[in-house]
Amino acid sequence: MAATLSEMSPAEAESVYFNEYPPPKNLPNHEALARAFIDLHVEANRRVVLVTSGGTTVPLEAQTVRFIDNFSAGTRGATSAEYFLEQGYAVIFLHRQYSLLPYSRHYSHSTNCFLDFMDEAPSTSDQGRIVVRDEYQKEMRDVLRKYRYAKQNNLLLLLPFTTVAEYMFELRSLAKLMRPLGANALFYLAAAVSDFFIPRSRMAEHKIQSMEVPAHLDKGSKAAGQDDIYTGENEDQPQSQRKKLVINLDPVPKFLHRLVDGWAPDGSMVVSFKLETDPGLLVYKSRTALQRYSHHLVIGNLLSTRKWEVVFITPDAPYERWIRVPKSRRSKSISGVEDQVGLAEAQKLNGSVLAPDAEADPVAAEHGTSRDGVEIETLIIPELVKMHTKMVEKKAQRDQQ
Ligand code: 9Z3
């Protein structure tokens, strides 16, 4: 029996996985844009961060009508990109198409519709002109200026993906293209990447049918030779022609190995995120990921508290470090559960707390404050930049010896 992807070495799994799919149509265009962007910033000796953001889809059909998706809106990625730009980085923003984008995110969310920020001019001379409402002038001007600065100085490259396979192709190409950056490259992998997929060889070509279709008309609504995978007997209504859909997914190979060991530039910093829902598992799973892939930092977060707390898991002391938005400055979140802040740490009490609940962080109070409270990325990014700076300096010292 042929080995499954998870039984192969990372390099073997890479070649099998990437040979199954045609590269995304946009890849050559994205590569050309990225090459020019990277050249520009290598020339300027500027640091470049690749921020990945948003969820990946898992198509059920090659001509895709249906797909599996996940919750991620891309808030973490889009917000982090803005703070990286403030820290002087150039940002390649590899994002799920139509997810939140840096700067425009302030006005594109369903609860922050841009139309609510606008009005018709009241004066008779200007009648009919569209203006920004008085109470939003300052905030919108600030966002607009930052956006324009990033655009005019070629500091932000937006590259979209949709499926998990597209994401993998883009990540591999971008990491290789970033090699000339050396230690000036940073990988910040915040996208919520599916752990499961349907291999191309088992995927139905056409829309999966929910009713029996005469055999001579069925051009491929079932995966080749795999009737049993996508269809089931209709136990509840034996009379009807309707079919059950049973989906059988394979694990997506873990490409972090390949990124760290092969694709990424020597001396670059790799930061991954670990998402959990069970507070008792978060630190354990984050540490396991760090040990498995031997990279530099895992940022652990719980689905329910991710806007207010994260944990930095590092290979060196302090090993576990909690970053929290002070209680009085937390945004209100419909999906979040504030009572759960501190729960994951309480199950493992040897971590040091960076911004404990009781203490306000004076920097955070001014900075990164929005209508919705302090954004945790305003605490995460400067800490990360300090770590990256140390790595860049160490590499420079090594190169001098
Ligand atoms: C994260 O953990 C991100 O912080 C979130 C951000 C996806 C939670 P939002 O887009 O959410 O702001 O709503 N990203 C990484 C999740 C992930 O898939 N990690 C992999 C894993 O947990 C490792 S690379 O196995």
Side-chain angles (χ1 to χ4, degrees):
M1 210 175 87
T4 64
L5 287 174
S6 52
E7 291 160 354
M8 297 174 190
S9 74
E12 278 171 339
E14 175 187 345
S15 92
V16 171
Y17 181 88
F18 286 100
N19 281 336
E20 267 219 47
Y21 294 90
K25 283 201 190 81
N26 281 333
L27 192 65
N29 178 33
H30 288 181
E31 284 176 337
L33 291 169
R35 199 173 284 116
F37 186 83
I38 291 161
D39 282 353
L40 185 80
H41 297 297
V42 168
E43 189 73 21
N45 194 26
R46 188 174 285 112
R47 294 186 195 169
V48 176
V49 59
L50 172 64
V51 174
T52 72
S53 183
T56 58
T57 68
V58 177
L60 303 190
E61 300 122 341
Q63 296 191 36
T64 309
V65 174
R66 303 186 186 92
F67 53 84
I68 300 172
D69 203 349
N70 65 52
F71 72 95
S72 172
T75 313
R76 172 83 77 229
T79 312
S80 301
E82 289 180 18
Y83 294 118
F84 276 119
L85 285 159
E86 280 192 21
Q87 296 276 337
Y89 282 66
V91 176
I92 301 176
F93 191 66
L94 180 62
H95 64 283
R96 164 72 179 279
Q97 191 171 34
Y98 309 129
S99 65
L100 294 178
L101 295 176
Y103 304 118
S104 72
R105 74 180 170 102
H106 298 273
Y107 308 104
S108 59
H109 207 267
S110 53
T111 51
N112 276 340
C113 172
F114 73 97
L115 292 171
D116 292 331
F117 293 77
M118 302 170 91
D119 223 336
E120 285 194 40
S123 83
T124 39
S125 62
D126 265 355
Q127 212 166 24
R129 261 172 69 90
I130 305 296
V131 292
V132 170
R133 296 166 70 118
D134 283 350
E135 61 270 41
Y136 300 123
Q137 288 282 337
K138 183 183 170 328
E139 183 190 318
M140 213 179 220
R141 185 183 310 109
D142 287 352
V143 173
L144 183 66
R145 282 186 182 162
K146 287 177 189 166
Y147 169 71
R148 289 200 149 168
Y149 182 85
K151 237 183 135 172
Q152 282 162 0
N153 292 286
N154 236 317
L155 292 165
L156 177 61
L157 179 64
L158 304 177
L159 300 176
F161 63 80
T162 302
T163 67
V164 60
E166 284 169 11
Y167 170 84
M168 293 300 179
F169 270 99
E170 298 272 352
L171 179 65
R172 181 170 73 160
S173 286
L174 291 169
K176 289 181 178 177
L177 287 169
M178 285 168 77
R179 282 182 189 163
L181 288 158
N184 272 346
L186 171 62
F187 294 84
Y188 183 83
L189 308 173
V193 182
S194 174
D195 284 328
F196 304 103
F197 79 122
I198 300 177
R200 185 67 186 82
S201 53
R202 286 216 322 261
M203 197 185 285
E205 173 62 27
H206 290 287
K207 183 185 163 203
I208 298 167
Q209 295 297 318
S210 62
M211 297 276 197
E212 210 54 75
V213 172
H216 69 282
L217 289 179
D218 194 343
K219 296 203 178 71
S221 68
K222 295 173 186 142
Q226 299 274 348
D227 293 19
D228 54 333
I229 286 173
Y230 294 115
T231 60
E233 297 307 313
N234 196 320
E235 292 137 7
D236 298 331
Q237 299 152 294
Q239 254 72 317
S240 126
Q241 295 291 84
R242 303 199 63 196
K243 296 192 297 183
K244 206 151 95 175
L245 177 63
V246 179
I247 303 169
N248 182 352
L249 301 164
D250 277 11
V252 172
K254 290 286 185 191
F255 284 121
L256 209 43
H257 256 306
R258 296 297 298 138
L259 179 75
V260 175
D261 275 356
W263 307 339
D266 277 349
S268 60
M269 181 174 183
V270 178
V271 180
S272 73
F273 276 79
K274 179 52 97 183
L275 172 69
E276 290 297 334
T277 54
D278 179 348
L281 281 182
L282 182 64
V283 170
Y284 168 77
K285 292 289 291 284
S286 303
R287 176 143 312 278
T288 307
L290 189 74
Q291 283 161 353
R292 181 168 298 150
Y293 305 114
S294 315
H295 53 307
H296 308 101
L297 171 66
V298 174
I299 302 182
N301 54 179
L302 287 178
L303 184 66
S304 57
T305 59
R306 69 189 189 281
K307 296 203 190 311
W308 306 308
E309 69 171 357
V310 299
V311 59
F312 275 24
I313 303 290
T314 46
D316 305 311
Y319 307 112
E320 178 187 329
R321 188 179 189 198
W322 288 86
I323 293 186
R324 292 204 174 90
V325 175
K327 209 177 175 68
S328 59
R329 294 191 172 85
R330 284 183 197 150
S331 58
K332 299 288 155 263
S333 157
I334 303 164
S335 56
V337 185
E338 209 184 335
D339 288 355
Q340 291 192 4
V341 172
L343 223 61
E345 188 189 14
Q347 316 213 357
K348 211 172 166 293
L349 282 170
N350 59 354
S352 65
V353 178
L354 179 72
D357 278 15
E359 261 171 55
D361 177 342
V363 180
E366 302 302 318
H367 205 71
T369 308
S370 70
R371 282 182 307 280
D372 308 322
V374 165
E375 295 175 318
I376 192 165
E377 292 78 7
T378 196
L379 302 173
I380 296 175
I381 305 306
E383 286 310 309
L384 219 142
V385 170
K386 277 187 218 158
M387 294 169 76
H388 190 203
T389 300
K390 273 193 195 151
M391 280 190 64
V392 171
E393 286 169 357
K394 270 195 190 156
K395 175 81 173 36
Q397 276 167 9
R398 275 204 307 274
D399 288 350
Q400 267 177 3
Q401 281 161 11

